[in-house]
Amino acid sequence: MNQTIAFAPTRIDFVGGWTDVQPFCDEQAGLVVNAAFGVRTRVVVREMPNAREHADPFIHAACRRLEVKNVLVELTSDAPLGSGLGGSGAVGVALVGALASHAGKHFARRDIAELAHDIEVRDLGIIGGKQDQYAAAFGGFLALTFLGDTVEIEQLALDEHRVRELQARSVVVYTGQSRVSGDIHARVQEAFRARNPDTWNALKTIRRVAREFCHELENGSLDALGELLNENWNAQKRLHVSTTNERVDEFFRAALHAGALGGKALGAGGGGCLYFLAREGETERLRQVLRNMGGEILDAEFDLGGLRIL
C-alpha cells in the first residue's frame, strides 16, 4: 500500500512569544527565540480508493487545500492536550508536509509553515502567531522576526557542547492542567486593540528581552538566561490575568526554591507545560520536586532536524 509518513516537532518558546501575534507585529517588529522539541506529531497518509471525507476538521481542511482525495490519514501526537508546546502547529506542518509529498508536490519548508498557519487561521478560526509552524518545519534553534505577514528566519548556530549543556539544564513539566490557547489569545488581543498601556509596555519588554536572550544564548553564560526567562515571564503575566493561575504559581515557587534559575509558561500560559532552566548540578533535584507536585516531566531532547518525511 502506497503511504507517506511525516514527523514534526513541537517547540519550546524561550522568549518573545506574543510579539508574533497581530496586531502588535503589524505595527512593530516582533521577535521570538524558540527551539524545536522532540515531543512530536506523526501523520500517516495511505491511498484508500473511495475513502470518505475526513471528519476531523484539520485533516479535512488540509486535504481540501492540497486537493488530495481518496486517502486515509492517521494522526497521533506525543504532546499532552493543551500543553502549550505548539502542538496544533506541529500537526499542521506534518499534515501539509505528508499530504503534499503524497501528492507529488514540492513545497519548501517556509511554504509548508505558511500554509499550515493559514489553514489554522482561515479555515479553523484558531487565533495565533506563526512561530509554532516555523519551529516545526525548520527545527533547531530559531530567532524569528515578524512584521505584518513577513517572517525573517535566523537559524542560531549553537555548537554541540552548547546544545548538550542547555539540554542537561532544561526541564519541561506538564502541570496536568490543559488550557485552550485561543481563548487566552482572544483576551490578550482585546487588550491590544483597546491600547491598554500595560499590555503594550509588557510586549515591548518581551521584545527587548528576546534580543538580549538571543545574544546570551549564542555567546553568553547560560546562567544569564535564567534572569531573562523570569523577566519575560513577569511581562507575560502582565498581558492578561488568564496567563497564570494558582497552580502555575505554585510550580514556580517550588521550582525557584529547588534549583531553577528561571522559567516561563510555554505558549499562551494558563496551564499546560512550564519550562525551567536549572542551575548547574541542580537538574535532578528540580525534576524530583516537580514530580512530587504531580507534574509530568517530558523527557525529550531538542529537535535539530524539523519536519521529516519518509
Side-chain angles (χ1 to χ4, degrees), residues 142-160:
L142 301 177
L144 301 168
T145 300
F146 302 88
L147 186 59
D149 291 327
T150 65
V151 182
E152 179 183 323
I153 306 165
E154 180 183 358
Q155 294 182 284
L156 303 178
L158 277 62
D159 63 36
E160 290 184 14

Side-chain angles (χ1 to χ4, degrees), residues 70-85:
N70 298 321
V71 293
L72 177 65
V73 180
E74 298 176 2
L75 189 160
T76 56
S77 176
D78 296 334
L81 182 65
S83 64
L85 293 170

Side-chain angles (χ1 to χ4, degrees), residues 71-283:
V71 293
L72 177 65
V73 180
E74 298 176 2
L75 189 160
T76 56
S77 176
D78 296 334
L81 182 65
S83 64
L85 293 170
S88 64
V91 167
V93 165
L95 265 175
V96 170
L99 290 168
S101 178
H102 194 81
K105 300 176 180 180
H106 175 72
F107 281 22
R109 290 177 186 261
R110 177 186 286 272
D111 297 331
I112 291 172
E114 288 286 342
L115 180 54
H117 179 264
D118 198 55
I119 290 171
E120 278 204 49
V121 173
R122 295 183 185 277
D123 298 2
L124 305 180
I126 299 173
I127 302 171
K130 296 180 179 180
Q131 67 147 316
D132 302 353
Q133 291 81 8
Y134 275 82
F138 284 88
F141 296 81
L142 301 177
L144 301 168
T145 300
F146 302 88
L147 186 59
D149 291 327
T150 65
V151 182
E152 179 183 323
I153 306 165
E154 180 183 358
Q155 294 182 284
L156 303 178
L158 277 62
D159 63 36
E160 290 184 14
H161 175 75
R162 186 71 156 177
V163 173
R164 287 197 301 270
E165 184 183 8
L166 183 60
Q167 182 72 62
R169 296 173 59 179
S170 292
V171 177
V172 177
V173 59
Y174 179 55
T175 62
Q177 232 179 20
S178 67
R179 82 290 177 275
V180 180
S181 64
D183 292 347
I184 300 174
H185 275 287
R187 292 168 189 155
V188 174
Q189 280 194 327
E190 287 176 8
F192 286 170
R193 295 193 172 95
R195 313 299 295 189
N196 182 297
D198 289 339
T199 300
W200 280 88
N201 288 335
L203 284 165
K204 290 175 182 177
T205 297
I206 288 171
R207 183 182 57 188
R208 174 185 55 77
V209 168
R211 292 195 193 103
E212 295 177 17
F213 190 97
C214 188
H215 173 77
E216 294 292 343
L217 182 61
E218 287 191 299
N219 306 301
S221 162
L222 289 187
D223 285 358
L225 300 180
E227 183 177 345
L228 293 171
L229 285 164
N230 287 334
E231 192 172 359
N232 185 100
W233 173 232
N234 288 331
Q236 184 178 343
K237 289 188 290 185
R238 296 203 306 271
L239 293 173
H240 196 276
V241 295
S242 62
T243 58
T244 191
N245 54 50
E246 183 55 34
R247 172 74 167 161
V248 170
D249 291 343
E250 286 176 0
F251 270 98
F252 270 88
R253 285 192 292 269
L256 293 173
H257 280 91
L261 286 168
K264 70 180 293 292
L266 297 180
C273 289
L274 312 177
Y275 171 81
F276 294 105
L277 179 68
R279 292 186 180 87
E280 189 172 4
E282 297 280 8
T283 304

